[in-house]
Amino acid sequence: MSAGARQFWRSGEPFIWLTGGALAFALVLVLGLLGLIAANGLGFFWPADVVRLTLNDGAKVTGILVERESIADRPGQHRVKLKVANRDLYGADFRWVDEAAIASREYPPDVVVMERTEWGLLIGTIKEVREGDRVVAAGSGPGLAEVERRLPNAARARREIKAIEKGEVGAINHEQEKIRLRLRSLTLAGTSSGPEVEALQSEMTVLQARYQAQAARLTELRGQQTASVVVTAEGGKEKDLPFIQLVHVDTPNTMSVVGKGTRYLARVWEFVSDDPRESNTEGGVFPAIFGTVMLVLIMSVIVTPLGVLAAFYLREYARQGTFVSAVRIAVNNLAGVPSIVFGVFGVGFFIYFVGGTIDRVFFSEALPSPTFGTGGVLWASLTLALLTVPVVIVATEEGLAAIPRGMREASLALGATKLETTLRVVLPAVMPSILTGLILAMARAAGEVAPLMITGVVKLAPSLPIDGFWPFVHFDRKFMHLGFHIYDVGFQSPNVEAAKPMVYATAVLLLLIVVLLNLTAIIVRNRLRKKYRTSAFA
């Protein structure tokens, strides 16, 4: 090797290029992954055109073109995958067709894509619109106009039914449960009769009458929805679809780019604001968004003081020695413990021990049905707080170590106590490091799934942890989570292929939420850094 080559290697420049290339390669991989998720997730909401394929044997296949791939055992030939929908008519959402078997393609303007509350999409042409047994419009043109005219009324009726079920009926059920628990409490206390029992039973009778009235109202509302639309699908199959089950009707082959863009934005808004349907494969993910954000916020409120106090004690107050070093090693090792281990600890300690004790002391009338002795958003948040507290401790300790000792000594020299120095000098100066640890903790907590599966997360929560019933915030309730929603839809759905776009869309949403939470903390951290950097020179 020449002297110049040896000097080149000794200079370290090759290693600089190597690390730079590794960083660039890692960035390309990350950006490629994000691009793949975004393309598949955001494209899910675009109203794609519907193609009708005429095969060589005269058969016709109508659907949305989803994928094209080469045929492994036939070089140079390809096949396409169509989303034919109509699962209740065909038994499957997708169909593969060899391109060699396609005689012609067309995009018929009269084909409609209907979004339903059940059975997914319905693709076909409108045959007629009925009001009971009476035909009010026939043909694709008049039928579509009549459907668009009646659709707002059907949506209004659906919202009214949902409001009654979750509002009036929900309130009645809540009051009945309170009375039932009160009666059981009196029974456990040895009081099975008397004025108080009779008063509670009288209230129960009144509530039962109110419930019957609301049930009759619901029956009447459902009975009024007699309109339906008859849709003809390929193969001559027909579907008589009640308007109450019809969510949207689109004619993508006749929509302009502006119209498709407007529909795209409306579908995105529905995705983030509606409740899920069809085993979470249709509809929106608002309960999962709410549960994820609430979980992260509760976890942050718990983990921040725990981590900060522990770090301050270890760095500022504890006598440095073997014990403190052992504690630091244990904290660092906790960061490498598998998350499912924390979940098992959460079940054993928080749910069975703490929650079971709370139930025996404060909710004995509800036993054997547990109140806090089962999974809930509080126990899941505490479990994630334990999971992420090492991150906050380490980040805070690093920040404390970076603060010049002279700042503390100057404060003490001016007559401040140790506590005043900690609160007014050290704590503000270390706040950016605390927020750095909190950012890392939130990012990890938002994406964790394994410990949540056994501490409170569910596939579908009947109600949110926050509602209009006292005490308004229900820490004992189970909740939905975007991470678990991705797992459930992607691997536990009865129709995984149809649910695949929902997985990508939910992943995009989860990434956006994590980015927004982190950006908020980063902005606050940067402002604090600027503030205390400026004050240091004032």
Side-chain angles (χ1 to χ4, degrees):
M1 183 181 295
S2 64
R6 285 196 298 269
Q7 182 64 28
F8 175 72
W9 282 100
R10 288 175 181 175
S11 67
E13 188 172 344
F15 299 101
I16 296 176
W17 282 99
L18 181 63
T19 54
L23 176 61
F25 181 69
L27 288 176
V28 169
L29 289 180
V30 172
L31 293 176
L33 176 62
L34 293 177
L36 174 67
I37 295 175
N40 286 276
L42 298 179
F44 168 61
F45 304 104
W46 185 260
D49 291 340
V50 179
V51 61
R52 177 176 291 162
L53 305 179
T54 302
L55 306 184
N56 295 330
D57 59 2
K60 296 181 183 295
V61 181
T62 302
I64 300 171
L65 184 61
V66 176
E67 186 179 349
R68 181 177 183 264
E69 68 176 21
S70 59
I71 302 176
D73 55 346
R74 283 179 281 173
Q77 296 190 27
H78 296 79
R79 62 176 184 171
V80 294
K81 182 168 73 171
L82 295 179
K83 183 173 183 179
V84 296
N86 308 347
R87 191 188 317 145
D88 49 339
L89 300 179
Y90 301 149
D93 283 279
F94 298 91
R95 178 176 173 180
W96 285 98
V97 179
D98 291 351
E99 287 188 340
I102 300 175
S104 64
R105 305 187 185 200
E106 58 178 331
Y107 295 86
D110 58 343
V111 170
V112 295
V113 178
M114 295 184 170
E115 185 179 346
R116 305 179 283 179
T117 59
E118 299 176 353
W119 295 103
L121 297 180
L122 178 65
I123 298 177
T125 57
I126 296 176
K127 178 182 179 182
E128 59 189 19
V129 177
R130 296 177 178 175
E131 182 66 53
D133 296 330
R134 181 171 57 91
V135 177
V136 296
S140 59
L144 179 61
E146 186 68 17
V147 167
E148 292 176 343
R149 187 182 71 83
R150 290 174 176 264
L151 199 57
N153 292 331
R156 193 178 303 112
R158 193 165 52 249
R159 288 194 300 268
E160 186 174 356
I161 291 173
K162 183 178 179 181
I164 294 173
E165 291 175 341
K166 288 196 170 183
E168 288 86 345
V169 174
I172 293 171
N173 290 335
H174 181 73
E175 293 298 324
Q176 286 180 328
E177 181 64 13
K178 288 172 58 178
I179 293 175
R180 186 190 70 82
L181 293 177
R182 181 59 182 157
L183 287 171
R184 177 166 171 77
S185 178
L186 291 173
T187 301
L188 293 175
T191 304
S192 58
S193 61
E196 188 175 0
V197 174
E198 293 176 358
L200 291 173
Q201 290 175 344
S202 176
E203 290 182 27
M204 184 68 81
T205 303
V206 173
L207 289 173
Q208 188 64 29
R210 286 174 53 192
Y211 179 85
Q212 295 297 335
Q214 295 299 330
R217 184 181 173 193
L218 286 172
T219 302
E220 181 183 359
L221 281 173
R222 292 190 177 100
Q224 291 174 356
Q225 308 306 312
T226 59
S228 64
V229 55
V230 179
V231 179
T232 303
E234 290 296 349
K237 296 185 177 183
E238 292 186 355
K239 176 67 178 179
D240 191 354
L241 179 65
F243 268 86
I244 195 67
Q245 298 180 9
L246 187 56
V247 180
H248 290 293
V249 177
D250 294 322
T251 55
N253 292 348
T254 61
M255 295 172 67
S256 63
V257 175
V258 175
K260 288 186 176 182
T262 303
R263 183 74 185 95
Y264 176 85
L265 295 177
R267 292 183 66 181
V268 171
W269 172 248
E270 290 170 2
F271 177 70
V272 300
S273 62
D274 282 356
D275 293 339
R277 304 190 306 269
E278 285 290 277
S279 298
N280 293 341
T281 60
E282 302 283 346
V285 292
F286 175 74
I289 298 174
F290 189 93
T292 303
V293 174
M294 184 175 181
L295 175 77
V296 172
L297 292 180
I298 296 175
M299 182 277 303
S300 302
V301 171
I302 296 171
V303 75
T304 303
L306 284 177
V308 171
L309 289 175
F312 267 84
Y313 176 77
L314 293 174
R315 177 62 62 174
E316 300 290 321
Y317 291 93
R319 185 183 299 273
Q320 303 302 312
T322 305
F323 176 75
V324 172
S325 298
V327 171
R328 287 199 177 96
I329 293 173
V331 168
N332 292 329
N333 288 337
L334 278 177
V337 174
S339 59
I340 190 64
V341 175
F342 284 95
V344 173
F345 174 82
V347 170
F349 181 74
F350 292 129
I351 296 178
Y352 291 158
F353 178 69
V354 179
T357 303
I358 292 174
D359 283 351
R360 288 191 296 272
V361 175
F362 298 102
F363 301 97
S364 58
E365 67 277 5
L367 294 175
S369 298
T371 303
F372 279 92
T374 184
V377 64
L378 177 61
W379 306 138
S381 301
L382 284 171
T383 302
L384 287 186
L386 290 181
L387 175 68
T388 56
V389 71
V391 178
V392 179
I393 292 175
V394 172
T396 305
E397 272 211 88
E398 293 295 329
L400 290 171
I403 297 175
R405 188 171 182 80
M407 292 181 61
R408 300 176 178 85
E409 294 175 348
S411 175
L412 295 172
L414 291 173
T417 65
K418 177 72 171 179
L419 180 61
E420 289 173 336
T421 300
T422 300
L423 295 179
R424 299 184 180 180
V425 177
V426 179
L427 181 60
V430 81
M431 191 62 70
S433 298
I434 295 174
L435 290 176
T436 299
L438 183 60
I439 290 168
L440 297 174
M442 288 192 303
R444 183 175 182 186
E448 284 292 345
V449 175
L452 302 181
M453 293 172 65
I454 55 178
T455 56
V457 76
V458 290
K459 176 186 179 73
L460 185 63
S463 55
L464 297 176
I466 295 179
D467 58 22
F469 303 125
W470 177 261
F472 308 122
V473 180
H474 305 274
F475 292 111
D476 58 306
R477 286 186 182 173
K478 298 183 184 297
F479 64 102
M480 296 182 66
H481 186 270
L482 286 172
F484 182 77
H485 189 273
I486 293 171
Y487 163 77
D488 176 69
V489 174
F491 300 97
Q492 302 296 317
S493 172
N495 193 2
V496 174
E497 192 66 25
K500 189 185 299 182
M502 180 71 77
V503 173
Y504 285 109
T506 308
V508 171
L509 188 58
L510 179 58
L511 289 173
L512 287 177
I513 289 177
V514 172
V515 169
L516 289 176
L517 290 173
N518 288 350
L519 280 179
T520 302
I522 289 171
I523 291 172
V524 174
R525 181 189 65 184
N526 291 341
R527 288 185 177 179
L528 287 173
R529 280 179 176 172
K530 183 178 180 181
K531 175 182 176 180
Y532 291 109
R533 186 184 301 117
T534 304
S535 62
F537 296 99

